[in-house]
Amino acid sequence: GAGVSQSPSNKVTEKGKDVELRCDPISGHTALYWYRQSLGQGLEFLIYFQGNSAPDKSGLPSDRFSAERTGGSVSTLTIQRTQQEDSAVYLCASSLVGSGAYEQYFGPGTRLTVT
Amino acid sequence: KNEVEQSPQNLTAQEGEFITINCSYSVGISALHWLQQHPGGGIVSLFMLSSGKKKHGRLIATINIQEKHSSLHITASHPRDSAVYICAVGGVAGGGADGLTFGKGTHLIIQP
């Protein structure tokens, strides 16, 4: 079946602009995660959705970052007033259920470059 | 917050060698994940384990919950095994749901 998909695959934006990144999880997966992979920091957790519960936003680096998940499926990560340090690959993953004790399936990522 | 340490950071070996990558963490977990990332490629889950040992082809993963330590072994290594191997831990033991905490990865190169 279809895996996790993300769009766009690449995004170049000017500093100060807002960007939206999209994630389509595997059908039937209730848990959805956003991660960021940058050269200096490695992989880091951003936000986690489990079903209809309130998301775990503990990894978001600033209030410029927000995410929503509509209808328990597609998720959008929004970065407002982008900064150069936001340049990274943003990865989405989904799993059947959450808790970190279930296999996660990763999307191909969106490479964000802020100029 | 869980600290995840991997070693070595870089490893170059000859084809056919037995490879071991180590991972240690500081806080009890629900599960440990081993992930693989080829250059320019996506991330693939190799193993998820919470106890004992798992084997898939030439890959073996072990975990010692008491010592908070896991190892990933590759037998009869091949150049196509060249990739970054990432250890990640998930879930706090005793409850709580959160995202994975990652090690910095081990960059493995297998030379023919």
Side-chain angles (χ1 to χ4, degrees):
Chain A
V4 178
S5 61
Q6 292 186 245
S7 61
S9 54
N10 282 284
K11 177 73 177 178
V12 180
T13 190
E14 292 180 354
K15 178 180 168 181
K17 301 278 190 182
D18 297 353
V19 294
E20 284 190 354
L21 312 180
R22 176 188 166 108
C23 171
D24 234 307
I26 292 172
S27 177
H29 280 192
T30 65
L32 185 149
Y33 305 81
W34 282 99
Y35 299 102
R36 178 169 72 173
Q37 186 173 35
S38 51
L39 276 176
Q41 301 296 323
L43 273 158
E44 56 180 333
F45 163 72
L46 296 177
I47 188 169
Y48 156 70
F49 296 89
Q50 171 59 56
N52 295 320
S53 302
D56 175 0
K57 304 179 184 181
S58 59
L60 294 179
S62 79
D63 59 9
R64 297 186 295 105
F65 288 72
S66 63
E68 62 178 23
R69 189 178 184 191
T70 51
S73 181
V74 171
S75 177
T76 302
L77 177 70
T78 302
I79 310 173
Q80 295 179 309
R81 305 181 302 282
T82 52
Q83 304 293 312
Q84 287 187 329
E85 62 261 29
D86 299 335
S87 296
V89 176
Y90 290 82
L91 292 154
C92 174
S94 70
S95 63
L96 199 57
V97 292
S99 86
Y102 289 83
E103 184 172 6
Q104 295 189 18
Y105 297 82
F106 286 80
T110 293
R111 181 175 297 278
L112 175 66
T113 304
V114 182
T115 61
Chain B
K1 181 178 156 74
N2 223 330
E3 302 292 333
V4 181
E5 299 287 338
Q6 272 187 252
S7 62
Q9 287 187 326
N10 295 280
L11 178 58
T12 300
Q14 295 298 120
E15 183 173 355
E17 288 188 36
F18 181 82
I19 303 298
T20 296
I21 299 170
N22 294 299
C23 176
S24 60
Y25 52 93
S26 56
V27 177
I29 57 171
S30 295
L32 184 141
H33 303 246
W34 282 103
L35 310 170
Q36 180 192 57
Q37 186 174 34
H38 281 103
I43 294 175
V44 174
S45 176
L46 296 175
F47 294 103
M48 189 199 68
L49 62 167
S50 55
S51 66
K53 174 180 173 178
K54 286 190 176 180
K55 183 175 189 291
H56 183 235
R58 294 180 295 104
L59 301 178
I60 303 165
T62 64
I63 188 169
N64 184 317
I65 295 293
Q66 286 72 33
E67 295 186 3
K68 298 187 179 62
H69 180 269
S70 175
S71 293
L72 176 68
H73 305 287
I74 306 175
T75 62
S77 59
H78 189 277
R80 64 175 174 267
D81 297 326
S82 298
V84 176
Y85 292 84
I86 303 166
C87 171
V89 298
V92 176
D98 56 12
L100 298 178
T101 302
F102 301 86
K104 293 193 183 300
T106 294
H107 188 191
L108 175 66
I109 297 174
I110 303 296
Q111 294 178 335

